[in-house]
Amino acid sequence: MFDLIREISQTIKNNKLRTILTGIAVAWGIFMLIVLLGAARGVVNSYEDASSNSSVNSIRLWSGTTSMPYKGYRDGRWIRLQDKDMDAISNEVATVSEVSISTSVSGFNIVGPKDYISSGLEAVYPDVSKTQRITDINGRFINQKDINDHRRTIVLHRDNAALLFGDADKALGQEVQSMQLSWKVVGVYDHRWRKSSFIPYTTYKAITGGDGYVNEMAVRVEGISTDIEAEQAESQVRSVLARRHEFDPEDSNAIWIWNQFANHLKQGQALVYLNLAVWVIGILTLLTGIVGVSNIMFVSVRERVHEIGIRRAIGANPNSIILQILAESVAITTLFGYIGLVAGMAILQVLDSVLGDAEGFSNPTVDISIALQVTAALIVAGAIAGLFPALKATKVKPVEALRDE
């Protein structure tokens, strides 16, 4: 083993320039592979973060304007969602597990002991916390008892809680003033981009005598796993609303619908293709380095014909010749490959610090599993690069090699 290592190091020393130039191609291939994989991981992480901030098994709906005439009605009618639509959807669509509504409450400040907030009040049902992935920090979200008993409870974003009370941790159990009434803070939450303050919808409606129209509706579905089933659930929800509000079920403009589950499946499939494309591009780039290593090993075999002939003449078997050539090839590939690996990971760390919080790009780093995969790719690449030169070396005939000076 030590003799083999000494022979490899001696070969590299005797051909420094040629080895370095070939190694640069290998290092560049691995560098590009790591950077591309890290960039793809950054896109995937951003997508997963966005998905974690909203329930993927939900269908969200907003009011719209008809684009088709229907049963004597002209197009251009404004179709507004109502709180009464909740029961109809729940009862008539089998895959629906929960329906929630949300409506903006404008014109009211939220006043605390330290400061006040002038906007961002929403009247909601409890399931909003699931469809929009509200993360409780202290306390709880609006619950069904708040809805049933028309309680004056409120849930604040942690930044708003800190503004109103000076410290978000002091908000829980305290009271704020809004709509000329006192509201008890029952929860403090965090969210990546939402900062609304939430109150029970029924309490808001009882106080204001609301007309029943809502800004948004979210339908949570269960028992579906394919995009076809997701589209069917969406179609069923639209049909229920079409019957209630008298518009054409094929009119996609009458009610604006965002099918998060179908979108999640499509994006997940696109990310699989992205990851596959990155590997293909990276491996093709690495192939340029493999060709270079293979060429240098062919040259090495040609220059060492006399040496190989002597070894064969004194009894060396073909397997030992193959082992030496393959070991040299793997050593060159692995040495410079790891240089590219380290350089690529360093660049990813720089990108993470500079662009880590950018929209659509989050934590573009590679984990240990990727490093192990690249290590395996390096070993295989080195073996492939040395295989054909090694096979050629075994075909050297001792008598002819000894004549070759």
Side-chain angles (χ1 to χ4, degrees):
M1 177 60 71
F2 291 106
D3 291 338
L4 180 60
I5 295 174
R6 186 167 56 251
E7 289 177 2
I8 293 172
S9 61
Q10 187 63 42
T11 301
I12 293 175
K13 288 179 182 179
N14 292 338
N15 302 277
K16 291 180 180 178
L17 180 60
R18 188 169 62 195
T19 302
I20 290 174
L21 292 177
T22 304
I24 289 175
V26 176
W28 177 253
I30 292 297
F31 173 81
M32 289 302 299
L33 177 59
I34 291 297
V35 171
L36 288 171
L37 288 173
R41 173 48 54 185
V43 174
V44 171
N45 288 340
S46 178
Y47 164 72
E48 291 176 347
D49 290 344
S51 297
S52 67
N53 286 324
S54 61
S55 178
V56 297
N57 64 330
S58 64
I59 301 172
R60 299 172 68 177
L61 306 94
W62 295 267
S63 300
T65 304
T66 60
S67 60
M68 301 178 183
Y70 184 73
K71 290 185 177 181
Y73 291 106
R74 299 182 61 182
D75 58 352
R77 284 188 302 130
W78 187 23
I79 304 299
R80 299 181 66 185
L81 294 171
Q82 297 177 313
D83 51 19
K84 295 179 181 179
D85 295 329
M86 293 177 60
D87 291 337
I89 293 174
S90 296
N91 295 333
E92 297 181 35
V93 182
T95 54
V96 170
S97 62
E98 193 76 37
V99 182
S100 63
I101 55 176
S102 173
T103 191
S104 299
V105 182
S106 59
F108 298 100
N109 295 333
I110 303 173
V111 182
K114 298 290 185 180
D115 211 328
Y116 72 95
I117 304 168
S118 60
S119 63
L121 187 62
E122 291 188 35
V124 300
Y125 266 69
D127 204 55
V128 166
S129 65
K130 297 176 181 177
T131 57
Q132 299 186 23
R133 293 287 178 90
I134 302 298
T135 303
D136 296 325
I137 297 178
N138 289 320
R140 61 174 176 81
F141 196 70
I142 303 298
N143 61 25
Q144 193 59 43
K145 196 165 181 60
D146 294 327
I147 296 294
N148 295 339
D149 295 347
H150 301 76
R151 290 175 172 176
R152 294 199 305 272
T153 54
I154 190 169
V155 178
L156 302 173
H157 186 273
R158 65 176 181 179
D159 292 346
N160 292 337
L163 181 66
L164 294 174
F165 294 94
D167 186 346
D169 294 333
K170 297 179 180 179
L172 193 64
Q174 302 300 313
E175 291 190 348
V176 296
Q177 302 295 316
S178 185
M179 305 170 70
Q180 299 181 346
L181 295 168
S182 294
W183 299 77
K184 184 178 181 180
V185 179
V186 295
V188 177
Y189 76 94
D190 190 23
H191 196 274
R192 185 170 183 177
W193 53 270
R194 293 187 67 96
K195 290 191 177 182
S196 300
S197 301
F198 300 106
I199 62 174
Y201 176 82
T202 52
T203 308
Y204 155 75
K205 189 175 181 180
I207 293 172
T208 63
D211 53 14
Y213 292 114
V214 299
N215 296 111
E216 180 182 342
M217 183 176 294
V219 177
R220 197 149 54 91
V221 293
E222 301 291 347
I224 62 175
S225 57
T226 66
D227 54 349
I228 295 177
E229 292 174 337
E231 295 294 341
Q232 288 175 343
E234 177 184 333
S235 178
Q236 291 170 356
V237 170
R238 190 186 296 278
S239 295
V240 171
L241 294 174
R243 179 179 51 79
R244 286 182 52 79
H245 294 276
E246 295 188 298
F247 63 85
D248 193 321
E250 301 298 322
D251 189 352
S252 59
N253 289 330
I255 296 294
W256 290 98
I257 296 182
W258 179 26
N259 194 328
Q260 291 181 264
F261 184 75
N263 188 61
H264 172 73
L265 291 176
K266 292 175 182 177
Q267 288 183 332
Q269 188 176 32
L271 291 176
V272 171
Y273 291 142
L274 171 63
N275 197 50
L276 178 61
V278 165
W279 272 103
V280 170
I281 294 172
I283 290 175
L284 289 177
T285 305
L286 181 59
L287 281 176
T288 61
I290 295 176
V291 171
V293 173
S294 185
N295 286 336
I296 193 176
M297 296 313 299
F298 271 117
V299 174
S300 178
V301 169
R302 182 70 187 90
E303 292 178 345
R304 295 159 60 189
V305 168
H306 191 68
E307 172 195 336
I308 293 172
I310 293 175
R311 293 184 60 184
R312 292 292 305 277
I314 61 176
N317 60 53
N319 289 336
S320 65
I321 304 297
I322 292 176
L323 177 62
Q324 180 181 352
I325 303 300
L326 288 179
E328 290 180 14
S329 177
V330 170
I332 293 173
T333 306
T334 304
L335 173 63
F336 288 95
Y338 270 106
I339 293 174
L341 176 64
V342 172
M345 297 184 72
I347 289 295
L348 290 178
Q349 291 295 331
V350 173
L351 289 175
D352 186 28
S353 61
V354 175
L355 302 174
D357 295 328
E359 187 70 24
F361 202 69
S362 175
N363 189 25
T365 56
V366 295
D367 55 24
I368 186 64
S369 64
I370 297 296
L372 292 175
Q373 292 175 33
V374 172
T375 300
L378 285 173
I379 295 173
V380 172
I384 292 174
L387 178 61
F388 294 104
L391 293 176
K392 182 179 180 180
T394 61
K395 296 178 181 179
V396 174
K397 295 181 179 180
V399 175
E400 295 180 0
L402 293 174
R403 292 175 181 172
D404 187 7
E405 292 291 344

